[in-house]
Amino acid sequence: MAFDRLHEDRILILDFGSQYTQLIARRVRESHVYCEIHPFNMALESIQAFHPKGIILSGGPSSVYDPEAPISDPSIFSMGVPVLGICYGMQLMALQLKGAVEKADRREYGPAVINVDLPSDLFQDIDREEVRVWMSHGDRILRLPPDFIALAHSDNSPIAAMGQPARRLYAVQFHPEVVHTPCGKDILENFLFRICRCKPTWTMKSFVETSIETMREKIGEDQVICALSGGVDSSVVAVLLHKAIGPRLHCIFVNNGLLRKGEAESVQRVFRDHFDLNLITVDATDVFLERLRGVTDPEQKRKIIGNLFVELFEKEARRIPNARFLAQGTLYPDVIESISFKGPSATIKTHHNVGGLPERMRLKLVEPLRELFKDEVRLVGRELGLPERIIMRHPFPGPGLAIRLLGSVSKEGLEILREADRIILEEMEASGWSDHLWQAFAVLLPVRSVGVMGDERTYDQVVALRAVESVDAMTADWARLPYELLQRISNRIINEVKGVNRVVYDISSKPPSTIEWE
Ligand code: XMP
């Protein structure tokens, strides 16, 4: 296995399938220490090649006694590297080091209180009594492994934390990585800084510097193509690569005519005029509209848009001589998803990307953001001087307004949607709600309803307002927007957008609904 970066101080997180594994990584990185998540069954040679300063074993849904229980190589405990086991990771450590684990009388799930019994590096500078933590486990430690000491207990877990300080092996029954364990950050930092003796050197400034160097080395004198959409990820990729290789980066921006108001102009202004990027713009509004004519099925729309995008992008890319690389904004969660040992989730909606293109054109991939979480990408964007408007942008789907205009896509419908969308974004910005929301947008419904404007009867279209809060788009809840804000948006849309006489607010959560309507 090859590791792209050789930071001096790196933590390895072995994943046993906990829903919180990514959170552990987030916490470690927030403390400015680089870390990576790998599957529990990572080979010992690869673990050694990674040169971890410490290893964290995540929690997981299994019981160590399950026949299919995930087991990692027990030699990790004798590598001379500190290990912190969390929940399932604690039980596995106990079992593999010859302690004993039993089923607890009752599952302990949710808030709990522990008392710290003995001083240790792990609990240094943390209250000793009535420490609030978050538990989520069925098994518990019955007997400590030889030479281990119990460090803390709760009512239901006589051994809520254990350690063998001489070998720098520690474990906790609770989850220090979740916010419901208020001292969790301190415990993790004790592990990182006192026990593993890491230095907090992982910053976005250091990331940018190293990344530019790595990209230069990898790309050499070749040319690189990048699909620029104006979203956060592709914008950061483009500016980062531009810093590394200047005019040898060729960005292609396909205007599919399904973008928000002023979007196409803004992409050109920012990237061509301000950042001086080599930008090729393809105006394909008419051909997209033509292919979408009369199409009402959402999956059909998505496929048409995705395929046409790839077709046009490829045509443009072939004109660039000596292109050897394709730059992509792959993020760390995508990487984890693809190496995770859990099965891939079923496709609910087809998302498009430049699928198949690298193989057909024999392009190699450069993915400078594949180590980063979304919030880290935003910090890199800031470091690179991207405008705040781009950095804090809400996600915008590849198929654009076409999947927010229910029924068939028309120029007139798009115009209505664009205006309604503009008003919503303006109001969200002005009220300060924008930064709290995952997304806020307009959906144009394919129905008409009766209204009255002045003395006249109207028979016009309906706009649905969608505003959701979410951390990762996997689940989402509708935002409890103040009535005054809803009122202002509704008034403005009905007054300013010709063809709309009714605004409704979507109060569905995901699941069972999805964020987009199509
Ligand atoms: P759903 O509607 O599935 O959306 O709850 C989850 C998130 O994904 C975005 N989305 C897309 N993003 N291409 C994208 O790049 C797509 O085809 C696409 N479809 C949905 C959506 O806006 C939301 O943030």
Side-chain angles (χ1 to χ4, degrees):
M1 198 175 302
F3 298 105
D4 280 351
R5 303 167 58 81
L6 270 177
H7 292 273
E8 201 176 311
D9 293 346
R10 34 210 283 125
I11 293 287
L12 173 66
I13 299 168
L14 290 181
D15 180 20
F16 294 89
S18 163
Q19 54 178 326
Y20 301 132
T21 305
Q22 284 202 27
L23 266 184
I24 305 176
R26 301 280 296 273
R27 296 289 165 263
V28 172
R29 290 185 180 197
E30 278 162 15
S31 300
H32 302 295
V33 175
Y34 183 72
C35 66
E36 285 184 20
I37 300 172
H38 285 268
F40 67 92
N41 54 2
M42 186 179 192
L44 190 65
E45 305 82 72
S46 306
I47 295 178
Q48 281 158 342
F50 185 89
H51 292 298
K53 285 275 275 197
I55 300 176
I56 298 179
L57 311 179
S58 84
S62 316
S63 157
V64 279
Y65 291 120
D66 287 346
E68 307 274 287
I71 304 284
S72 46
D73 192 321
S75 314
I76 54 174
F77 300 115
S78 37
M79 281 171 64
V81 171
V83 181
L84 174 66
I86 296 177
C87 197
Y88 177 88
M90 176 186 202
Q91 287 134 21
L92 186 67
M93 182 188 283
L95 197 71
Q96 289 187 321
L97 295 177
K98 313 263 179 301
V101 175
E102 64 166 356
K103 278 242 169 307
D105 299 338
R106 54 190 171 94
R107 269 183 65 83
E108 202 174 6
Y109 179 81
V113 170
I114 61 162
N115 287 288
V116 177
D117 301 316
L118 279 178
S120 69
D121 281 348
L122 195 63
F123 289 101
Q124 185 80 35
D125 298 333
I126 284 164
D127 289 344
R128 300 204 42 182
E129 278 166 30
E130 307 276 305
V131 182
R132 284 193 294 138
V133 299
W134 185 261
M135 294 276 192
S136 171
H137 64 108
D139 293 354
R140 65 181 185 189
I141 308 296
L142 177 66
R143 196 182 64 243
L144 287 166
D147 302 326
F148 269 71
I149 47 174
L151 300 174
H153 73 271
S154 74
D155 280 351
N156 192 44
S157 296
I159 304 170
M162 64 177 193
Q164 200 205 50
R167 287 168 71 192
R168 296 188 293 168
L169 304 178
Y170 290 89
V172 290
Q173 184 62 81
F174 55 90
H175 289 273
E177 68 277 24
V178 303
V179 288
H180 313 290
T181 301
C183 62
K185 187 174 171 16
D186 298 329
I187 294 176
L188 286 173
E189 290 197 343
N190 279 340
F191 179 68
L192 298 176
F193 301 125
R194 288 180 193 278
I195 298 167
C196 301
R197 298 182 198 122
C198 288
K199 284 183 281 306
T201 49
W202 165 255
T203 60
M204 290 307 116
K205 189 165 184 297
S206 75
F207 170 83
V208 168
E209 284 162 7
T210 327
S211 179
I212 288 176
E213 254 171 60
T214 322
M215 294 295 129
R216 274 191 193 137
E217 241 166 66
K218 177 165 182 173
I219 296 163
E221 292 305 310
D222 288 328
Q223 311 283 319
V224 180
I225 317 170
C226 172
L228 184 66
S229 70
V232 191
D233 306 342
S234 70
S235 300
V236 171
V237 167
V239 175
L240 191 60
L241 274 169
H242 182 249
K243 277 219 175 330
I245 60 165
R248 284 185 290 120
L249 172 73
H250 305 265
C251 292
I252 301 175
F253 169 66
V254 178
N255 181 0
N256 57 14
L258 306 168
L259 303 173
R260 281 181 280 194
K261 189 162 176 108
E263 192 64 32
E265 297 76 18
S266 142
V267 165
Q268 308 198 46
R269 209 170 39 243
V270 172
F271 295 97
R272 181 177 294 145
D273 303 345
H274 180 71
F275 281 102
D276 201 22
L277 252 73
N278 224 335
L279 179 66
I280 303 157
T281 304
V282 184
D283 187 357
T285 305
D286 293 340
V287 36
F288 272 92
L289 275 182
E290 181 55 41
R291 295 235 187 136
L292 284 169
R293 193 199 307 240
V295 180
T296 53
D297 175 64
E299 270 301 285
Q300 197 60 24
K301 283 186 194 173
R302 284 173 172 272
K303 291 212 167 93
I304 291 173
I305 297 166
N307 292 341
L308 184 53
F309 171 82
V310 173
E311 189 183 315
L312 296 173
F313 183 82
E314 184 167 355
K315 192 167 138 207
E316 220 43 60
R318 287 195 186 279
R319 290 183 207 211
I320 298 162
N322 301 322
R324 295 272 180 279
F325 288 93
L326 178 73
Q328 276 192 342
T330 315
L331 302 194
Y332 197 42
D334 310 324
V335 176
I336 300 171
E337 187 61 30
S338 66
I339 58 172
S340 147
F341 66 94
K342 299 177 283 276
S345 49
T347 304
I348 312 265
K349 299 177 184 184
T350 311
H351 283 211
H352 76 250
N353 51 33
V354 278
L357 183 81
E359 296 80 36
R360 278 200 304 281
M361 285 186 66
R362 301 221 180 95
L363 293 172
K364 288 180 272 185
L365 286 179
V366 254
E367 300 174 306
L369 310 183
R370 56 181 285 125
E371 298 169 343
L372 304 186
F373 290 106
K374 189 85 176 185
D375 47 341
E376 293 177 317
V377 173
R378 294 204 160 104
L379 295 176
V380 171
R382 227 165 254 150
E383 188 67 39
L384 292 168
L386 272 161
E388 207 56 22
R389 204 172 35 78
I390 292 186
I391 292 171
M392 293 311 290
R393 264 181 75 133
H394 292 164
F396 186 68
L401 299 182
I403 56 163
R404 294 178 178 173
L405 199 162
L406 311 196
S408 57
V409 180
S410 67
K411 257 200 171 114
E412 299 71 35
L414 286 171
E415 207 37 52
I416 292 181
L417 200 48
R418 245 180 224 124
E419 287 303 316
D421 184 71
R422 171 184 61 83
I423 293 170
I424 292 170
L425 291 190
E426 281 174 10
E427 289 299 333
M428 293 300 168
E429 285 290 328
S431 61
W433 269 87
S434 192
D435 290 348
H436 301 293
L437 298 177
W438 177 263
Q439 270 170 316
F441 54 87
V443 181
L444 187 62
L445 308 190
V447 287
R448 280 168 192 274
S449 76
V450 173
V452 52
M453 272 197 195
D455 290 332
E456 291 207 18
R457 175 187 188 273
T458 56
Y459 188 52
D460 279 337
Q461 282 190 272
V462 183
V463 160
L465 165 64
R466 184 77 164 135
V468 296
E469 294 179 6
S470 171
V471 279
D472 53 11
M474 301 293 286
T475 61
D477 200 6
W478 57 279
R480 272 49 170 181
L481 297 178
Y483 284 167
E484 297 70 34
L485 179 58
L486 290 171
Q487 181 190 10
R488 209 162 37 245
I489 292 173
S490 162
N491 280 351
R492 281 196 61 193
I493 292 178
I494 294 171
N495 287 327
E496 294 174 34
V497 186
K498 205 162 171 299
V500 177
N501 67 354
R502 194 175 294 271
V503 172
V504 295
Y505 189 36
D506 179 351
I507 50 168
S508 334
S509 64
K510 172 182 181 174
S513 301
T514 51
I515 297 177
E516 305 285 349
W517 280 41
E518 290 201 329

